[in-house]
Amino acid sequence: MNKKRTKGEGTLRKRQDGRWEGRIVVGYNEKSLPITKCVTAKTKTECSTKLEALKEQYGRSSDRIKADMPFGDWIDFWYQTYCRHTLRITTRTDYENRIYNHIIPEIGKIPLNRLSQSDLQQFYAKEKTDGRKLHAKTYGKGLSDRTIRGIHANCRTALQRAVQDGLIRTNPAVGCKLPPKKAREMQVLTQNEILRFLHQAKEEGYYELFLLELGTGMRRGEILALKWSDLNFKTGELRIERQVYIIKAEVIISAPKTKASIRTVILPPSLIKTLAVYKETVDSEWMFPSPTDNGRPRNPSSVRKRLQLILERAGCKKVRFHDLRHTFATMALEHGMDVKTLSATIGHVSSATTLDIYSHITDTMQRQAAVHIDRKIGGTDARMPTEKREERKDTSPVEFTPYKPKIRKPGTGCVTMINDHLYEGRYTPTNAYGKRESHNIYAKTREECEEKLAEMIAEVKTQIKAEKEKMTG
């Protein structure tokens, strides 16, 4: 029986042509697939010697990994070797920011075996008061409690790996005092706010997007990644199996973070009818395409900004996009949906997560159920205060006239102010070959830009029509 090689030693095997091959993993690519290097030789001994040399060149070098190495070198080695290839791109960005912009510059020179709990505690305190590298005037000089906890998590995990590898005896990060973990305050819209919000959203061309959000509680990235092929208009089944997010100002499409996020929800008939009418106005495979390029989904950042503008114009309190998800979940629980069904609908890993987040709603429901049972059994007429439900039952009529912004009609292009003396007009149609192509003009004033844009659109449409006739003729 062959002896099993330990992790990091590489593999050694005899090929069909009689030669021996040695192979090691030297890293991982962007898709988390291993990058390998290999050597070959006529004999096993020669191949083993070459493999050792290859490991010294690309693998873990015993001369570099020592107990007295700088902590910055160790946490870099830990991240690149044990961690990076296991993370999603968005998580990877957060790790790299904490490690290379905060941890290594501040405590990276301290030897690994001399790093103490006091060093870490002083480091956290300094970062809390004066650790922000960007936007200090806007957000203050200190880092948030959440960022401090993230920095500590990276240090603790990297140091625990050093303990496992025998480089240090104990983990100095264990026992550090951290800022308290605070959950973000949950806010939900009242029924009157929802009505005003949807009225304003309709005026600005975002009615179907936010109506679907309030009817399903999807995450922002999930709803923007929907395609028309995901919706079965006959059965009302909507399949959620992808999401979009932003990396360095670029829209990325990927699978959801967890298996529970891949799910199917059932839409009510009224919402299906609304989407069916909306579909006739959309010439794209995406349900909510980008207004400048319908071959791509909308940018999540632009939707966030538009949400705040609609809330302001509708006279609603300022909430996050994620609070629309909370609004749906709260309404669902109040109208009798059980926690298990809600958990599957909004894509939580387990019902325990749902109960933890919406415990204040379920507690109120349980107290009300106890009162109802007591009325039936004991004949009492006790009434319990339901402040949460009264807040949600805001049904008194409110006069509201939505603000009507100027919305450009489809096919008229767009005008952008580049600076005080320059405007850009852009028209991005689908050409005769089925591909999107942009046409641009520039002018010193908006009026001049609008005139040039209209002329250019007419010329481009004539050109596309002629090319189509030439292709079919």
Side-chain angles (χ1 to χ4, degrees):
M1 183 176 179
N2 294 331
K3 182 181 178 181
K4 186 176 180 179
R5 301 175 71 86
T6 60
K7 185 177 180 180
E9 287 189 358
T11 59
L12 197 63
R13 70 181 184 92
K14 191 173 184 179
R15 297 170 25 149
Q16 292 183 353
D17 60 5
R19 293 185 300 167
W20 284 84
E21 178 187 72
R23 185 184 297 268
I24 61 168
V25 176
V26 299
Y28 294 84
N29 60 19
E30 294 296 327
K31 296 182 179 179
S32 296
L33 298 176
I35 302 172
T36 61
K37 294 289 183 179
C38 64
V39 292
T40 57
K42 293 182 179 180
T43 65
K44 183 177 181 179
T45 303
E46 183 183 357
C47 187
S48 180
T49 303
K50 287 186 176 182
L51 182 62
E52 290 299 323
L54 189 68
K55 285 194 293 183
E56 286 295 321
Q57 181 180 358
Y58 290 100
R60 173 174 167 168
S61 174
S62 58
D63 293 336
R64 186 165 62 91
I65 305 302
K66 291 184 176 181
D68 59 352
M69 67 185 296
F71 176 62
D73 290 351
W74 167 254
I75 199 169
D76 171 64
F77 172 79
W78 164 80
Y79 172 70
Q80 299 293 342
T81 306
Y82 296 105
C83 197
R84 186 178 186 277
H85 63 279
T86 66
L87 303 175
R88 293 170 58 85
I89 297 179
T90 49
T91 310
R92 202 180 295 168
T93 302
D94 292 338
Y95 273 52
E96 291 175 358
N97 174 57
R98 294 194 291 257
I99 292 172
Y100 298 108
N101 293 337
H102 296 279
I103 298 175
I104 292 179
E106 293 296 329
I107 57 174
K109 294 182 180 180
I110 301 175
L112 176 61
N113 58 358
R114 292 183 177 275
L115 184 67
S116 66
Q117 187 177 99
S118 177
D119 294 326
L120 292 171
Q121 201 69 66
Q122 292 179 46
F123 166 54
Y124 299 154
K126 182 180 178 181
E127 292 295 292
K128 177 62 182 173
T129 57
D130 192 26
R132 188 176 296 278
K133 307 294 183 182
L134 299 173
H135 310 298
K137 292 183 178 180
T138 304
Y139 300 105
K141 294 183 179 181
L143 295 176
S144 66
D145 292 347
R146 184 179 180 183
T147 304
I148 297 296
R149 295 182 69 90
I151 289 174
H152 169 73
N154 291 149
C155 292
R156 183 192 61 212
T157 310
L159 289 167
Q160 189 59 38
R161 184 76 240 183
V163 173
Q164 295 175 9
D165 290 356
L167 297 174
I168 54 178
R169 294 181 60 186
T170 59
N171 187 342
V174 174
C176 285
K177 187 176 181 180
L178 301 173
K181 188 176 182 181
K182 298 178 182 178
R184 289 188 178 182
E185 182 181 357
M186 180 193 306
Q187 297 192 84
V188 296
L189 298 178
T190 64
Q191 290 188 9
N192 261 324
E193 286 178 324
I194 290 174
L195 292 175
R196 297 199 303 271
F197 173 72
L198 290 177
H199 277 309
Q200 186 62 49
K202 181 176 288 188
E203 291 294 334
E204 305 199 19
Y206 280 76
Y207 175 72
E208 292 80 10
L209 191 157
F210 288 118
L211 181 65
L212 181 59
E213 170 59 28
L214 289 168
T216 59
M218 283 187 280
R219 301 175 179 91
R220 181 178 59 174
E222 294 172 344
I223 197 169
L224 297 180
L226 291 175
K227 294 183 177 181
W228 289 113
S229 57
D230 298 327
L231 176 59
N232 187 327
F233 283 94
K234 293 181 179 180
T235 63
E237 295 180 340
L238 178 63
R239 183 68 175 169
I240 303 169
E241 56 186 17
R242 71 186 72 84
Q243 67 174 4
V244 299
Y245 52 88
I246 298 296
I247 293 293
K248 296 180 180 179
E250 181 181 358
V251 177
I252 306 296
I253 304 168
S254 73
K257 187 174 183 178
T258 64
K259 291 183 179 180
S261 298
I262 302 175
R263 61 198 187 277
T264 300
V265 298
I266 306 298
L267 303 185
S270 59
L271 183 52
I272 295 173
K273 290 181 181 179
T274 301
L275 291 176
V277 175
Y278 167 67
K279 186 177 187 299
E280 299 299 322
T281 65
V282 179
D283 182 22
S284 174
E285 64 173 335
W286 300 98
M287 195 172 291
F288 304 105
S290 167
T292 57
D293 182 5
N294 66 7
R296 299 285 293 174
R298 286 180 186 265
N299 188 312
S301 298
S302 67
V303 174
R304 174 182 58 79
K305 294 176 182 177
R306 179 63 62 170
L307 168 65
Q308 298 306 318
L309 185 61
I310 293 174
L311 288 169
E312 180 182 349
R313 288 173 174 173
C316 301
K317 58 177 170 286
K318 186 176 181 180
V319 299
R320 303 166 300 158
F321 192 99
H322 205 74
D323 288 321
L324 301 182
R325 176 175 166 90
H326 292 320
T327 300
F328 162 77
T330 302
M331 289 191 299
L333 288 172
E334 290 181 345
H335 287 82
M337 181 181 288
D338 63 275
V339 175
K340 182 67 176 177
T341 303
L342 176 61
S343 178
T345 300
I346 61 181
H348 281 165
V349 174
S350 68
S351 301
T353 304
T354 310
L355 283 169
D356 184 47
I357 295 175
Y358 302 105
S359 59
H360 63 291
I361 302 297
T362 54
D363 287 348
T364 302
M365 294 168 63
Q366 288 173 2
R367 289 195 295 270
Q368 291 168 347
V371 171
H372 293 318
I373 293 172
D374 187 52
R375 289 177 187 172
K376 295 294 183 181
I377 296 177
T380 61
D381 191 27
R383 296 183 181 274
M384 294 198 65
T386 56
E387 296 180 4
K388 292 292 182 180
R389 291 182 62 84
E390 288 302 323
E391 181 186 352
R392 297 284 309 128
K393 294 286 185 178
D394 180 15
T395 56
S396 56
V398 175
E399 294 184 3
F400 173 66
T401 302
Y403 170 81
K404 295 184 178 181
K406 294 181 180 180
I407 301 177
R408 301 186 70 91
K409 296 181 179 179
T412 60
C414 64
V415 174
T416 305
M417 183 177 181
I418 297 178
N419 55 45
D420 294 340
H421 307 288
L422 185 63
Y423 289 81
E424 178 189 54
R426 177 178 296 181
Y427 178 54
T428 312
T430 302
N431 62 21
Y433 304 97
K435 294 184 178 180
R436 302 276 293 179
E437 59 180 10
S438 295
H439 302 267
N440 305 72
I441 56 94
Y442 298 90
K444 294 182 179 180
T445 65
R446 181 177 290 276
E447 292 75 16
E448 182 185 357
C449 190
E450 289 284 5
E451 292 178 3
K452 287 186 176 181
L453 179 61
E455 294 175 359
M456 180 187 70
I457 291 175
E459 293 176 0
V460 171
K461 286 183 176 180
T462 303
Q463 181 182 355
I464 293 175
K465 183 178 179 182
E467 289 178 353
K468 287 184 177 179
E469 291 176 351
K470 184 178 179 181
M471 291 173 62
T472 56

